[in-house]
Amino acid sequence: MRLILFGPPGAGKGTQASLLKERKNLAHISTGEIIRAAMKSESPLGDEARSFVTAGKLVPDTLVRKLAEDAIARHDNDDFILDGYPRTLQQAEWLDEYLADNLVRLTAVVSLKVEDFIIIDRLSKRRVNKETGENYHLDFKPPPVDVPSKLIMQRRDDLPEAIQTRLKEYRDVTLPLEEYFKSSGRLIEVDGVGSMEAVYERIVAGVAAREVA
Ligand code: AP5
């Protein structure tokens, strides 16, 4: 199975990708996580990306293309979930070129639909374990009591101003891609509001219907 999880920041792409990874044995390829790891290790790529990420802006296309293609290739071009890639028309066209060159067909693009006020709540209450990278939500999935509080941090791009910039980048640059995927018959729209389990079940049902069709 080869999926793209698409949607605004905070739609639950990472949460659902983790569930799909665990239960369907798919590789989770998150360009956001790859970029954050590069920033942490202070590699040249990380240093170049840092100011964009912190401000909530998209990192230039040329920086992410190779990251994404290398990660897909590492998983033999199969059984993967792309989380957060592509996010621009240029990235989508490069991905299609890459898939065609490698004779790979996407199973589906799952677009998670969540309204802005819910996104703002999710992102402002997200906390991250800085060692494991695990995401929490202060109300719906609080950090376990046995995790020391010094390990729990807030992402800098989850501060109010950066959230607004990310939402604007999404609306202006990324959302138009829905039309690109819809016109090629690959888009599945899924209501991303509800419990994490309920959203997961909707995704699995939507993808299964696509596989049968
Ligand atoms: P990235 O890390 O991909 O951030 P994002 O797309 O903004 O997505 P998030 O991780 O914020 O949200 P999510 O949809 O994964 O939601 P999550 O499951 O975590 O990218 C970061 C940055 O890297 C970008 O801004 C950009 O600078 C750069 N970048 C990355 N890819 C790029 C690309 N292709 N091109 C250019 N630049 C790129 O959930 C959020 C919160 O909600 C959590 O607290 C979670 O516990 C909670 N939650 C999830 N589901 C539910 C639910 N059903 N009910 C209640 N709470 C829920």
Side-chain angles (χ1 to χ4, degrees), residues 168-187:
K168 184 168 179 343
E169 287 275 84
Y170 177 75
R171 273 193 301 272
D172 294 350
V173 183
T174 306
L175 186 58
L177 281 188
E178 270 199 338
E179 216 29 66
Y180 177 84
F181 292 125
K182 199 182 267 177
S183 64
S184 52
R186 294 176 289 181
L187 193 77

mmCIF file of all heavy atoms in Angstrom, residues 168-187:
data_model
loop_
_atom_site.group_PDB
_atom_site.id
_atom_site.type_symbol
_atom_site.label_atom_id
_atom_site.label_comp_id
_atom_site.label_asym_id
_atom_site.label_seq_id
_atom_site.Cartn_x
_atom_site.Cartn_y
_atom_site.Cartn_z
ATOM 1 N N LYS A 168 -1.863 29.763 6.962
ATOM 2 C CA LYS A 168 -1.913 30.579 5.741
ATOM 3 C C LYS A 168 -1.134 29.893 4.610
ATOM 4 O O LYS A 168 -1.603 29.817 3.477
ATOM 5 C CB LYS A 168 -1.346 31.975 6.034
ATOM 6 C CG LYS A 168 -1.459 32.901 4.840
ATOM 7 C CD LYS A 168 -1.174 34.338 5.205
ATOM 8 C CE LYS A 168 -1.252 35.318 4.044
ATOM 9 N NZ LYS A 168 -1.202 34.833 2.704
ATOM 10 N N GLU A 169 0.046 29.361 4.933
ATOM 11 C CA GLU A 169 0.836 28.628 3.926
ATOM 12 C C GLU A 169 0.011 27.460 3.381
ATOM 13 O O GLU A 169 0.015 27.175 2.196
ATOM 14 C CB GLU A 169 2.123 28.067 4.553
ATOM 15 C CG GLU A 169 3.190 29.092 4.849
ATOM 16 C CD GLU A 169 4.075 29.383 3.655
ATOM 17 O OE1 GLU A 169 3.674 30.215 2.825
ATOM 18 O OE2 GLU A 169 5.149 28.783 3.547
ATOM 19 N N TYR A 170 -0.679 26.783 4.295
ATOM 20 C CA TYR A 170 -1.492 25.639 3.864
ATOM 21 C C TYR A 170 -2.566 26.098 2.877
ATOM 22 O O TYR A 170 -2.707 25.535 1.796
ATOM 23 C CB TYR A 170 -2.128 24.932 5.076
ATOM 24 C CG TYR A 170 -3.020 23.796 4.623
ATOM 25 C CD1 TYR A 170 -2.458 22.603 4.155
ATOM 26 C CD2 TYR A 170 -4.403 23.936 4.605
ATOM 27 C CE1 TYR A 170 -3.262 21.579 3.692
ATOM 28 C CE2 TYR A 170 -5.209 22.903 4.136
ATOM 29 C CZ TYR A 170 -4.631 21.732 3.689
ATOM 30 O OH TYR A 170 -5.432 20.716 3.207
ATOM 31 N N ARG A 171 -3.318 27.135 3.280
ATOM 32 C CA ARG A 171 -4.419 27.601 2.416
ATOM 33 C C ARG A 171 -3.900 28.095 1.065
ATOM 34 O O ARG A 171 -4.438 27.764 0.023
ATOM 35 C CB ARG A 171 -5.166 28.758 3.095
ATOM 36 C CG ARG A 171 -6.277 28.317 4.015
ATOM 37 C CD ARG A 171 -7.162 29.495 4.398
ATOM 38 N NE ARG A 171 -6.403 30.538 5.071
ATOM 39 C CZ ARG A 171 -6.191 30.583 6.388
ATOM 40 N NH1 ARG A 171 -6.683 29.654 7.166
ATOM 41 N NH2 ARG A 171 -5.505 31.563 6.931
ATOM 42 N N ASP A 172 -2.795 28.869 1.093
ATOM 43 C CA ASP A 172 -2.330 29.519 -0.135
ATOM 44 C C ASP A 172 -1.581 28.561 -1.057
ATOM 45 O O ASP A 172 -1.695 28.654 -2.274
ATOM 46 C CB ASP A 172 -1.385 30.687 0.201
ATOM 47 C CG ASP A 172 -2.105 31.819 0.928
ATOM 48 O OD1 ASP A 172 -3.344 31.779 1.002
ATOM 49 O OD2 ASP A 172 -1.411 32.726 1.432
ATOM 50 N N VAL A 173 -0.775 27.668 -0.482
ATOM 51 C CA VAL A 173 0.151 26.893 -1.319
ATOM 52 C C VAL A 173 -0.222 25.411 -1.403
ATOM 53 O O VAL A 173 -0.126 24.806 -2.473
ATOM 54 C CB VAL A 173 1.601 27.023 -0.759
ATOM 55 C CG1 VAL A 173 2.577 26.281 -1.647
ATOM 56 C CG2 VAL A 173 2.005 28.480 -0.615
ATOM 57 N N THR A 174 -0.656 24.830 -0.287
ATOM 58 C CA THR A 174 -0.825 23.372 -0.253
ATOM 59 C C THR A 174 -2.240 22.934 -0.633
ATOM 60 O O THR A 174 -2.417 21.977 -1.404
ATOM 61 C CB THR A 174 -0.447 22.833 1.149
ATOM 62 O OG1 THR A 174 0.873 23.294 1.459
ATOM 63 C CG2 THR A 174 -0.462 21.326 1.190
ATOM 64 N N LEU A 175 -3.241 23.625 -0.121
ATOM 65 C CA LEU A 175 -4.627 23.214 -0.374
ATOM 66 C C LEU A 175 -4.947 23.060 -1.874
ATOM 67 O O LEU A 175 -5.656 22.117 -2.251
ATOM 68 C CB LEU A 175 -5.588 24.194 0.314
ATOM 69 C CG LEU A 175 -7.069 23.840 0.277
ATOM 70 C CD1 LEU A 175 -7.340 22.483 0.907
ATOM 71 C CD2 LEU A 175 -7.898 24.917 0.998
ATOM 72 N N PRO A 176 -4.435 23.946 -2.746
ATOM 73 C CA PRO A 176 -4.737 23.774 -4.170
ATOM 74 C C PRO A 176 -4.344 22.401 -4.731
ATOM 75 O O PRO A 176 -4.873 21.967 -5.754
ATOM 76 C CB PRO A 176 -3.937 24.891 -4.853
ATOM 77 C CG PRO A 176 -3.777 25.934 -3.787
ATOM 78 C CD PRO A 176 -3.679 25.192 -2.490
ATOM 79 N N LEU A 177 -3.437 21.695 -4.039
ATOM 80 C CA LEU A 177 -3.030 20.362 -4.508
ATOM 81 C C LEU A 177 -4.184 19.353 -4.476
ATOM 82 O O LEU A 177 -4.151 18.347 -5.177
ATOM 83 C CB LEU A 177 -1.934 19.786 -3.613
ATOM 84 C CG LEU A 177 -0.531 20.268 -3.809
ATOM 85 C CD1 LEU A 177 0.411 19.438 -2.981
ATOM 86 C CD2 LEU A 177 -0.185 20.154 -5.269
ATOM 87 N N GLU A 178 -5.186 19.631 -3.622
ATOM 88 C CA GLU A 178 -6.327 18.715 -3.570
ATOM 89 C C GLU A 178 -6.920 18.537 -4.966
ATOM 90 O O GLU A 178 -7.298 17.446 -5.359
ATOM 91 C CB GLU A 178 -7.412 19.271 -2.644
ATOM 92 C CG GLU A 178 -7.267 18.831 -1.225
ATOM 93 C CD GLU A 178 -8.564 18.995 -0.470
ATOM 94 O OE1 GLU A 178 -9.420 19.788 -0.888
ATOM 95 O OE2 GLU A 178 -8.702 18.321 0.551
ATOM 96 N N GLU A 179 -7.010 19.648 -5.695
ATOM 97 C CA GLU A 179 -7.600 19.619 -7.034
ATOM 98 C C GLU A 179 -6.737 18.752 -7.961
ATOM 99 O O GLU A 179 -7.238 17.995 -8.788
ATOM 100 C CB GLU A 179 -7.684 21.057 -7.553
ATOM 101 C CG GLU A 179 -8.877 21.399 -8.389
ATOM 102 C CD GLU A 179 -10.146 20.621 -8.105
ATOM 103 O OE1 GLU A 179 -10.706 20.786 -7.000
ATOM 104 O OE2 GLU A 179 -10.589 19.843 -8.986
ATOM 105 N N TYR A 180 -5.427 18.870 -7.787
ATOM 106 C CA TYR A 180 -4.474 18.083 -8.595
ATOM 107 C C TYR A 180 -4.716 16.587 -8.370
ATOM 108 O O TYR A 180 -4.777 15.796 -9.311
ATOM 109 C CB TYR A 180 -3.052 18.491 -8.173
ATOM 110 C CG TYR A 180 -1.928 17.740 -8.842
ATOM 111 C CD1 TYR A 180 -1.448 18.125 -10.095
ATOM 112 C CD2 TYR A 180 -1.317 16.649 -8.214
ATOM 113 C CE1 TYR A 180 -0.396 17.443 -10.698
ATOM 114 C CE2 TYR A 180 -0.273 15.969 -8.816
ATOM 115 C CZ TYR A 180 0.182 16.364 -10.050
ATOM 116 O OH TYR A 180 1.220 15.686 -10.644
ATOM 117 N N PHE A 181 -4.872 16.200 -7.098
ATOM 118 C CA PHE A 181 -5.072 14.777 -6.803
ATOM 119 C C PHE A 181 -6.488 14.339 -7.178
ATOM 120 O O PHE A 181 -6.697 13.208 -7.606
ATOM 121 C CB PHE A 181 -4.811 14.494 -5.322
ATOM 122 C CG PHE A 181 -3.373 14.669 -4.930
ATOM 123 C CD1 PHE A 181 -3.002 15.516 -3.898
ATOM 124 C CD2 PHE A 181 -2.370 13.980 -5.602
ATOM 125 C CE1 PHE A 181 -1.675 15.678 -3.546
ATOM 126 C CE2 PHE A 181 -1.039 14.125 -5.258
ATOM 127 C CZ PHE A 181 -0.693 14.990 -4.223
ATOM 128 N N LYS A 182 -7.448 15.243 -7.001
ATOM 129 C CA LYS A 182 -8.834 14.894 -7.331
ATOM 130 C C LYS A 182 -8.958 14.644 -8.835
ATOM 131 O O LYS A 182 -9.585 13.689 -9.281
ATOM 132 C CB LYS A 182 -9.762 16.040 -6.909
ATOM 133 C CG LYS A 182 -11.213 15.635 -6.769
ATOM 134 C CD LYS A 182 -12.089 16.817 -6.409
ATOM 135 C CE LYS A 182 -12.272 16.951 -4.915
ATOM 136 N NZ LYS A 182 -13.063 18.118 -4.520
ATOM 137 N N SER A 183 -8.329 15.510 -9.616
ATOM 138 C CA SER A 183 -8.488 15.391 -11.070
ATOM 139 C C SER A 183 -7.841 14.106 -11.597
ATOM 140 O O SER A 183 -8.200 13.618 -12.662
ATOM 141 C CB SER A 183 -7.908 16.617 -11.784
ATOM 142 O OG SER A 183 -6.527 16.647 -11.541
ATOM 143 N N SER A 184 -6.906 13.537 -10.827
ATOM 144 C CA SER A 184 -6.330 12.261 -11.276
ATOM 145 C C SER A 184 -6.980 11.088 -10.528
ATOM 146 O O SER A 184 -6.463 9.964 -10.564
ATOM 147 C CB SER A 184 -4.801 12.266 -11.092
ATOM 148 O OG SER A 184 -4.470 12.631 -9.771
ATOM 149 N N GLY A 185 -8.108 11.352 -9.852
ATOM 150 C CA GLY A 185 -8.907 10.275 -9.251
ATOM 151 C C GLY A 185 -8.266 9.601 -8.059
ATOM 152 O O GLY A 185 -8.594 8.472 -7.711
ATOM 153 N N ARG A 186 -7.348 10.311 -7.365
ATOM 154 C CA ARG A 186 -6.640 9.644 -6.267
ATOM 155 C C ARG A 186 -7.053 10.128 -4.885
ATOM 156 O O ARG A 186 -6.569 9.627 -3.878
ATOM 157 C CB ARG A 186 -5.123 9.841 -6.450
ATOM 158 C CG ARG A 186 -4.595 9.139 -7.694
ATOM 159 C CD ARG A 186 -3.121 9.413 -7.920
ATOM 160 N NE ARG A 186 -2.867 10.777 -8.355
ATOM 161 C CZ ARG A 186 -1.664 11.258 -8.634
ATOM 162 N NH1 ARG A 186 -0.606 10.495 -8.518
ATOM 163 N NH2 ARG A 186 -1.518 12.504 -9.035
ATOM 164 N N LEU A 187 -7.926 11.144 -4.833
ATOM 165 C CA LEU A 187 -8.225 11.773 -3.541
ATOM 166 C C LEU A 187 -9.360 11.080 -2.795
ATOM 167 O O LEU A 187 -10.411 10.794 -3.367
ATOM 168 C CB LEU A 187 -8.607 13.243 -3.764
ATOM 169 C CG LEU A 187 -8.637 14.090 -2.495
ATOM 170 C CD1 LEU A 187 -7.224 14.443 -2.055
ATOM 171 C CD2 LEU A 187 -9.429 15.372 -2.724
#
